[in-house]
């Protein structure tokens, strides 16, 4: 009888302790979720403020930004998706024979390994003997003012800036003209921060 009573009391104590621990765990999880939501809101606000600046204001602000400030802007930008859907036909005049469009070079995107994730293919296409750059199956972590650069071995200093990235998701086209043979590596980078988000080496 005594043993049964002790076992019963012990099981009650264990149950109470388990419930207490569960309550603490749930509280911690709830607080963490709340902190996460707050961090997302703060980073989004940081990105919006940065994005609203002029180029001169950004360049001045960057000189005084800490790594934490920069990361907040990056996190805010990463929450925004901009999807595009450009077709191959959009590069060509209406009467173009589609069989005359052919690939010159292509390469798979690879990410920088820390600030972004990317997937997709970059292709150089000849359309009526005019060269275009095309992204297919494309998806990249968004960032502050991402630009598309045509480079040699990823050198941004001597690169050709093809303009701002049209969208971080979806197929898209960029006009090249006749410069494809002058460069070998495509780079997507944040223009204000000079941070590389992705690369694609273009090969025959």
């Amino acid at each position: 009888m005594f043993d049964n009573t002790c076992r019963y009391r012990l099981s009650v104590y264990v149950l109470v302790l388990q419930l207490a621990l569960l309550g603490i765990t749930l509280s911690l999880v709830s607080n963490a979720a709340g902190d996460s939501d707050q961090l997302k809101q703060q980073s989004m606000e940081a990105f919006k403020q940065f994005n609203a600046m002029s180029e001169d204001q950004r360049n001045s602000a960057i000189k005084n930004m800490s790594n934490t400030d920069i990361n907040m802007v990056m996190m805010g930008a990463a929450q925004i998706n901009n999807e595009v859907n450009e077709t191959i036909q959009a590069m060509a005049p209406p009467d173009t024979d589609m069989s005359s469009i052919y690939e010159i070079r292509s390469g798979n995107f690879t990410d920088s390994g820390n600030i972004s994730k990317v997937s997709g293919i970059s292709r150089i296409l000849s359309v009526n003997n005019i060269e275009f750059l095309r992204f297919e199956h494309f998806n990249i972590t968004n960032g502050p003012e991402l630009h598309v650069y045509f480079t040699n071995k990823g050198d941004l200093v001597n690169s050709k800036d093809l303009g701002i990235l049209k969208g971080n998701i979806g197929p898209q086209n960029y006009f090249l003209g006749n410069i494809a043979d002058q460069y070998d590596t495509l780079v997507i980078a944040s223009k204000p921060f000079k941070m590389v988000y992705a690369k694609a080496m273009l090969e025959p």
Side-chain angles (χ1 to χ4, degrees):
M1 182 72 174
F2 177 77
D3 290 342
N4 289 339
T5 302
C6 287
R7 289 194 190 97
Y8 174 74
R9 287 178 178 174
L10 182 60
S11 64
V12 170
Y13 293 151
V14 171
L15 179 60
V16 170
L17 180 60
Q18 288 176 334
L19 290 174
L21 290 174
L22 178 61
I24 293 172
T25 301
L26 290 174
S27 176
L28 291 173
V29 170
S30 177
N31 289 337
D35 290 344
S36 178
D37 290 341
Q38 186 177 10
L39 183 61
K40 286 182 178 180
Q41 291 176 358
Q42 290 174 343
S43 63
M44 180 64 78
E45 185 60 32
F47 169 68
K48 287 180 178 178
Q49 291 178 2
F50 181 81
N51 204 40
M53 295 178 182
S54 67
E55 185 173 357
D56 289 340
Q57 288 173 330
R58 289 180 187 178
N59 292 335
S60 177
I62 287 172
K63 295 176 182 178
N64 299 309
M65 291 176 73
S66 66
N67 287 335
T68 300
D69 295 332
I70 294 172
N71 287 335
M72 289 291 281
V73 173
M74 297 285 184
M75 287 174 59
Q79 296 179 57
I80 299 173
N81 286 322
N82 182 21
E83 189 167 352
V84 295
N85 186 22
E86 293 187 333
T87 64
I88 291 179
Q89 289 82 353
M91 293 182 285
D95 58 348
T96 299
D97 180 2
M98 297 305 293
S99 64
S100 67
I101 299 176
Y102 60 92
E103 180 180 293
I104 300 174
R105 285 185 285 160
S106 66
N108 293 322
F109 279 105
T110 58
D111 57 52
S112 62
N114 52 2
I115 58 175
S116 68
K117 296 296 180 184
V118 68
S119 60
I121 302 170
S122 178
R123 306 171 67 199
I124 297 177
L125 300 178
S126 175
V127 182
N128 285 348
N129 295 318
I130 299 174
E131 295 155 2
F132 287 84
L133 181 69
R134 177 168 171 80
F135 300 168
E136 295 178 347
H137 312 294
F138 181 70
N139 191 319
I140 190 172
T141 305
N142 213 346
E145 198 181 337
L146 296 183
H147 276 236
V148 180
Y149 297 92
F150 217 174
T151 77
N152 283 309
K153 297 180 174 58
D155 176 20
L156 289 177
V157 175
N158 300 305
S159 65
K160 173 71 173 178
D161 187 348
L162 301 179
I164 197 162
L165 184 71
K166 294 179 180 179
N168 68 307
I169 300 172
Q172 49 205 279
N173 309 317
Y174 297 86
F175 177 79
L176 294 179
N178 59 356
I179 65 168
D181 61 349
Q182 299 176 29
Y183 304 95
D184 58 26
T185 305
L186 186 73
V187 174
I188 298 175
S190 170
K191 184 178 180 180
F193 291 106
K194 306 295 189 294
M195 288 188 179
V196 174
Y197 272 57
K199 292 182 180 181
M201 183 173 291
L202 302 170
E203 299 177 324

